[in-house]
Amino acid sequence: MSLETTNSTPQSPSMSALDAMPDGEIDLDRDDQATDVRIDLTRLYKLWEANNWSVFALDFRQDARDWRERLTPKQRQAARWNYALFLHGEEAVARTLAPFVVAVPTQEQRIFLTTQIVDEARHHVFFDRFMREVVADEDTVIAPGYESTLDLMRPELTIGFARVFGELDRLTEQLRRRPHDRALLAQCFTLYHLIIEGTLAHPGQHFIRTYLTERQIMPGFTQGMAHVARDESRHMAFGIQMVRELTANAPSARRAVIALINRILPWTVSLFIPPDFDEDYVRVFGKELEDIYAFALRSFESKLTRAGIAPSEIASLVNNGEEQAPIEQARRILRLVKAGVLGEAAPLHVDDATLALIFDGVARLANMSPAVELNSAIQWEFPDAPPWYLAPQGGKIVASQGWAGAPALTLRLRVDDWARIVGRKLDARWALVTRRLTTTGDLRLALRLPSILHM
Ligand SMILES: [Fe+2]
Ligand SMILES: [Fe+2]
């Protein structure tokens, strides 16, 4: 069905911005959509009613045969890991949505969020039933109760998952105590609807649905995943609109949202790194990790833009070259994750190529608007790596390997500690206090450095 059920005239692409596709899914991935179209929440509610579905009406008998006979042992291992992330993710989002219902200002918004809680609970039940009836080994008996399935699958979760969902618990608990805090509410929508649903779950669902459809396997699960994706498209459309409304003409809410994104993005990148960085978890289904990360980046950047925030305002996107194609950004992120600079999927190992990538990002941050004037050179002196410096050159700030002529400021620290600061694992001020970082030269410049480098 279409959101415009009474209008059969084809609309121009920009006017059909938030219309549903024939199957009821709202396509938020198209580039040609207007970003300023307001969704009527009654239309979203009608879509919810029209697209209600039943987990227990799905037939998993063919799925169980396909799981045993048409997936290889490696594909089963990879799918079990990926579906465990979804099982726990759906449980977490179902559990943490209630404070939003109390905090939103209008009854239309409360009603929409109530439909979403039902959806998320149903998604949890869907993954629970699939785990029990299809994924669990023949000799594994899962005790009754949702907790048993969660316990069984908990060892599959990644450190990135624990960090991101731990933050969801923390922020929504704050919202429960401070429901009138609009900046906090905007942060909660950003984390829940833009980051978790839009950047983590959406690419995962797209990946799963693609290989299920290509291989024509597990028809019950395929059908359920289509329902989940349709539900999620409504949730994301709503969340984008909420972030847009809460941050428009509200500079403090906008700053809070941007600060949250900068803090969380470096952790989200290790959520979908398979155990032991074994990329075969993705390759066995015909994709590369970088394809999934590129899809995620494109999804996040387009949703953020729709919410009225430009990717060029986000330091943790700018330092990764946000103006480049998503696949280039994805490759760059994965190099930093592999080097242990971002996330916790690999031990930290900073070689010369990684350090060059780090300083390329530092220069991008130094040139980010609103530009903080940097009129003189800053030198980095590492006891265990080649020196680097930042200096103004031809109207912009350039990073180069080597020694600056007469730096106004010199920073001395181990290269690993610099990588930790860049990866937001070590606070620069704490490094100063504990003497892991020492400086000589212009003290006022040193104090302005966090602003200059957006750290
Ligand atoms: Fe969900
Ligand atoms: Fe959702």
Side-chain angles (χ1 to χ4, degrees):
M1 67 163 286
S2 163
L3 274 169
E4 282 289 2
T5 47
T6 54
N7 183 359
S8 58
T9 317
Q11 295 176 321
S12 70
S14 63
M15 285 305 292
S16 61
L18 291 164
D19 269 357
M21 294 185 283
D23 66 353
E25 186 172 340
I26 301 169
D27 184 0
L28 294 164
D29 293 324
R30 275 173 32 210
D31 283 329
D32 59 351
Q33 297 174 344
T35 54
D36 55 354
V37 178
R38 231 187 149 276
I39 329 169
D40 175 355
L41 295 187
T42 305
R43 288 163 78 197
L44 272 194
Y45 177 84
K46 284 181 186 170
L47 262 187
W48 175 77
E49 274 200 350
N51 291 296
N52 255 306
W53 56 287
S54 163
V55 170
F56 288 94
L58 296 171
D59 184 347
F60 286 154
R61 283 173 298 182
Q62 182 62 41
D63 296 57
R65 280 192 291 276
D66 288 349
W67 180 264
R68 287 193 307 270
E69 294 163 13
R70 296 197 50 202
L71 293 186
T72 65
K74 186 72 188 185
Q75 285 175 326
R76 284 197 290 271
Q77 180 189 26
R80 178 187 160 109
W81 169 74
N82 193 353
Y83 304 167
L85 298 179
F86 270 102
L87 173 81
H88 273 267
E90 297 290 5
E91 184 276 334
V93 294
R95 177 165 45 74
T96 54
L97 200 51
F100 290 73
V101 181
V102 179
V104 290
T106 75
Q107 180 64 2
E108 284 78 6
Q109 292 161 351
R110 279 189 284 278
I111 286 171
F112 179 81
L113 282 166
T114 309
T115 69
Q116 187 180 343
I117 293 183
V118 177
D119 289 342
E120 305 300 7
R122 182 151 40 207
H123 299 171
H124 177 199
V125 174
F126 166 65
F127 280 101
D128 182 273
R129 187 179 161 219
F130 190 75
M131 288 296 189
R132 286 170 180 274
E133 297 182 21
V134 179
V135 176
D137 302 330
E138 278 164 346
D139 43 356
T140 305
V141 179
I142 307 179
Y146 294 108
E147 209 50 61
S148 315
T149 327
L150 291 167
D151 286 345
L152 183 70
M153 294 298 161
R154 194 165 280 115
E156 303 274 5
L157 303 182
T158 58
I159 294 173
F161 185 98
R163 292 291 295 237
V164 174
F165 281 88
E167 188 66 17
L168 181 68
D169 285 338
R170 200 180 68 77
L171 268 193
T172 53
E173 174 57 23
Q174 282 182 12
L175 186 64
R176 195 180 62 73
R177 286 193 243 129
R178 303 204 311 271
H180 301 297
D181 185 335
R182 286 290 171 266
L184 178 60
L185 181 61
Q187 286 186 315
C188 286
F189 272 111
T190 302
L191 177 57
Y192 190 119
H193 293 74
L194 264 57
I195 296 179
I196 291 175
E197 292 187 331
T199 313
L200 301 171
H202 182 49
Q205 284 156 11
H206 179 79
F207 168 56
I208 293 168
R209 290 177 75 195
T210 303
Y211 68 68
L212 292 175
T213 310
E214 281 170 0
R215 288 165 172 74
Q216 295 282 304
I217 49 169
M218 304 201 287
F221 192 56
T222 304
Q223 214 185 332
M225 286 302 286
H227 288 304
V228 169
R230 189 167 55 194
D231 294 344
E232 294 301 340
S233 73
R234 290 193 306 275
H235 306 167
M236 291 184 285
F238 175 73
I240 292 166
Q241 178 153 300
M242 288 306 299
V243 174
R244 189 179 182 89
E245 287 181 7
L246 288 162
T247 55
N249 309 315
S252 63
R254 193 183 172 86
R255 276 196 303 275
V257 162
I258 291 174
L260 171 92
I261 296 171
N262 281 329
R263 193 156 50 80
I264 296 295
L265 277 192
W267 292 105
T268 60
V269 297
S270 61
L271 185 138
F272 197 67
I273 300 296
D276 304 320
F277 229 117
D278 180 358
E279 298 189 41
D280 284 346
Y281 273 64
V282 173
R283 286 193 187 121
V284 289
F285 292 114
K287 285 273 185 270
E288 294 292 329
L289 261 186
E290 62 188 40
D291 300 327
I292 294 169
Y293 276 60
F295 187 97
L297 280 156
R298 184 176 176 280
S299 176
F300 179 62
E301 289 169 6
S302 68
K303 286 170 182 63
L304 195 63
T305 305
R306 274 170 216 273
I309 299 173
S312 59
E313 295 177 65
I314 307 293
S316 55
L317 292 172
V318 168
N319 67 0
N320 192 52
E322 111 290 342
E323 84 291 355
Q324 297 174 357
I327 190 75
E328 296 303 327
Q329 298 178 54
R331 287 182 185 135
R332 191 177 164 118
I333 284 178
L334 284 166
R335 282 175 65 192
L336 291 172
V337 175
K338 265 184 197 151
V341 177
L342 296 179
E344 277 186 15
L348 185 58
H349 173 69
V350 185
D351 58 16
D352 288 355
T354 306
L355 194 55
L357 205 54
I358 287 175
F359 273 98
D360 178 77
V362 169
R364 286 169 186 277
L365 291 171
N367 286 301
M368 204 180 147
S369 60
V372 178
E373 289 283 301
L374 180 63
N375 303 315
S376 42
I378 302 176
Q379 180 72 55
W380 275 258
E381 190 180 327
F382 303 111
D384 50 352
W388 277 79
Y389 67 95
L390 274 189
Q393 199 181 97
K396 53 188 276 199
I397 312 295
V398 176
S400 314
Q401 195 184 318
W403 298 99
L409 176 69
T410 299
L411 310 179
R412 287 184 193 82
L413 73 172
R414 295 181 58 82
V415 75
D416 281 3
D417 279 342
W418 178 237
R420 288 185 186 102
I421 290 171
V422 170
R424 293 185 181 253
K425 296 173 185 176
L426 174 62
D427 182 68
R429 280 153 287 243
W430 178 249
L432 259 178
V433 169
T434 53
R435 308 283 294 163
R436 285 163 80 169
L437 165 63
T438 59
T439 67
T440 49
D442 186 344
L443 185 62
R444 282 176 54 204
L445 179 58
L447 293 173
R448 279 171 52 227
L449 201 56
S451 319
I452 295 171
L453 300 182
H454 299 265
M455 284 175 177

